[in-house]
Amino acid sequence: MARKISILIVDDEESVRESLQSWFIEDGYRVASAENAKKALTILESDEFDIILADIKMPGMDGLEMLRRIKAHNNEAIVIVMTAFATVDTAVKALKDGAFDYITKPFDPDDLTHLIRNATKQISLVDENENLKKKLTSLENVEDIIGNSEAMKNVLRDVESVAQTNSSVIITGESGTGKELVAIAIHANSPRKFFPFVSVHCGALTESLLESELFGHEKGAFTGAMYNRKGRFEMADNGSIFLDEIATISAKMQVELLRVLESKTFIRVGGNKEISSDFRVICATNKDLKSMVEKGTFREDLFYRLNVVNIHIPPLRERKSDIPLLVDYFIKKYCTTMNKPPVTIDQNAMNRLQEFNFPGNIRELENMIERAIVVGDGKKITLKDLPLEKTIVSNTVESLDDFESAFILQILNKYSWNISRTAKALKVDRVTLYNKIKKYDLKPSDQQ
Amino acid sequence: MSVQNITLISFGYFEKDVLEQLAESVEREFRCSLNLREGHIDLSEFYDTSRRQYNGNNLLKHVDSLAFPESCKTLGLFNVDLFIPILTFIFGQAFLGGRSGIASVYRLNNTSYGLAMDDNLLLDRFKKEVIHELGHTFGLIHCNTTTCVMRSSTYVGDIDQKRMHLCHTCRIELGLQ
């Protein structure tokens, strides 16, 4: 799926423009031309070119000034300067200002071919580098999907089978269950893996911002639109686009999105040129889209267009057997990141983590381990390093007695079952505390 | 591609045998009928004194102006040194998807590079160049297949590396497969 390289020729001599244009067209390039620097800069505002081949001596703005302006706007642009008046000074000046190369008119056909081939090679290397970086990031992230439970094995099986298709996927699950990681895993295992994975958090953007983010915009489309900008759909060409929190998009955006998904074409905000892009769409939500469809807050046709395959990620409380594996993984991850020697976790702390319900799912567990490594003694994570006390109550209480029992146990653990200190903290006497321990049959974790 | 007529017009002196062999190769490659004609023009009108070469753009336009009703493609054959303003020389050129092209034997000759004359090699190169330019008139762009006659050639060594024929993909493109 190699893309077609585009070349813009800038020269005031018509015969030069025509000759080069037909030469490059025969070589299969997309070519445009401009007779002066001003026109070239106007063309570059609305279109993008991989290579700009510009004459130095032109009436009005010369090639060197144009080179500086192009470079100020896009430092990656490949500009080759050409002149009939070759001097070492102008060549050095052009190269210092960022020209890719320099060629003297008239060219030897072989020199021109080699020059363009070198530029094309450079473009391919940059593209390849970016794609590999993206791929490496994706693959690193795929390793983050940890789980040996039956529930997670099912998720991974689904990922593997759906990855090879082009079908739209909706990933459902509570916040913090790792929906984006699953989306990356689908992309990284798909034939699109060498192309971009573009992520958009729909919930974080207002309607107009989301529109410009997804479709891109033309210069002057709205206040602050200083330059043309590619949209995420355009960036995801040949790759995958991940739309997180899809349930939050407005009714207007739902219509727009449906149209794009059906035609795979769109128009930039403020533009009039239809752009096509070949992308695979993966969405995620923590909402029940079906019930939103029933209530009329989400379009039914869009729902069916997106919901070709549904992958549900179970919350962490439904796969507690994965907790030790995850804890181990996060300990290794953060010890490495923080450049600390590997730490262990004591059994009491691990038991308590497995009792905990984790309303924030894996994200909450990860944050807990990260914090424990920061505040801990650097050797072993113990109960006191884990911020379970603040949240444990809310996960387990079903009655006032449950609440009291959990709260007392929390404070007892905090003071390592020192009765006097716990009673003082609870502002009760020691006898009352003993009665409560007896009433709720509370025991230290290692005696349970 | 339906059977079409191609006209080759020689401007300047070419051996009869050379033209016949050229015609045969073109007919075989494009599966078409071929007319051989002689053209008479004053080449001095196309001569650029500062470059001491002949302007390929103007010659191409001239060949294009010679409309032959019985022919869909016309290619002018020359034995002079051709150039276009931006390049030091050209072997030939054509209107992509148009009806005309030109090709010159001048830069294909070993003697242009200080080497011994080789008639067979010269004829082979000329056949390849003529088929290449005609390929452009049929809308073919440069091909990446190393041995395809439509591969871009900027010096004679490139021409020698390729075969005299269109590759499978180019043939399919022209409906010849």
Side-chain angles (χ1 to χ4, degrees), chain A residues 208-209 212 217-227 269:
Chain A
S208 54
L209 270 179
S212 139
H217 61 72
E218 297 289 334
K219 182 184 173 187
F222 48 82
T223 314
M226 307 278 282
Y227 303 107
V269 177

Side-chain angles (χ1 to χ4, degrees), chain A residues 142 145 155 158-160 162-165 167 169-171 179-193 197 240 280 282 309 311:
Chain A
V142 171
I145 302 178
V155 168
D158 287 349
V159 166
E160 207 175 314
V162 80
Q164 298 309 315
T165 71
S167 308
V169 183
I170 287 191
I171 304 164
K179 294 187 285 293
E180 183 159 3
L181 286 185
V182 169
I184 292 169
I186 292 172
H187 174 76
N189 287 288
S190 75
R192 296 171 176 269
K193 63 188 169 188
F197 174 84
S240 311
R280 188 228 192 117
I282 305 169
V309 179
I311 295 179

Side-chain angles (χ1 to χ4, degrees), chain A residues 342-404:
Chain A
V343 299
T344 55
I345 181 163
D346 84 10
Q347 196 51 48
N348 276 348
M350 183 61 93
N351 290 344
R352 289 299 302 283
L353 284 173
Q354 283 187 272
E355 285 165 8
F356 193 57
N357 272 353
F358 290 101
N361 287 295
I362 298 170
R363 192 182 290 134
E364 188 177 5
L365 174 63
E366 181 173 0
N367 291 345
M368 254 184 216
I369 300 297
E370 184 183 359
R371 178 187 176 279
I373 292 169
V374 172
V375 302
D377 64 3
K379 288 174 188 160
K380 198 167 218 176
I381 295 173
T382 61
L383 264 180
K384 70 175 171 37
D385 303 323
L386 298 171
L388 291 164
E389 59 203 46
K390 286 178 189 160
T391 44
I392 193 164
V393 172
S394 60
N395 294 298
T396 52
V397 291
E398 283 174 0
S399 67
L400 193 57
D401 277 358
D402 280 351
F403 179 87
E404 189 176 60

Side-chain angles (χ1 to χ4, degrees), chain A residues 26-27 106-108 110 113, chain B residues 86-89 96 141-142 154:
Chain A
E26 283 176 3
D27 262 337
F107 327 134
D108 185 281
D110 207 30
T113 305
Chain B
I86 197 66
L87 296 177
T88 48
F89 71 92
L96 186 69
I141 59 168
H142 287 152
T154 48

Side-chain angles (χ1 to χ4, degrees), chain A residues 54-66:
Chain A
D55 192 18
I56 287 187
K57 290 256 181 194
M58 286 187 287
M61 190 191 303
D62 70 4
L64 290 177
E65 177 56 26
M66 188 184 81

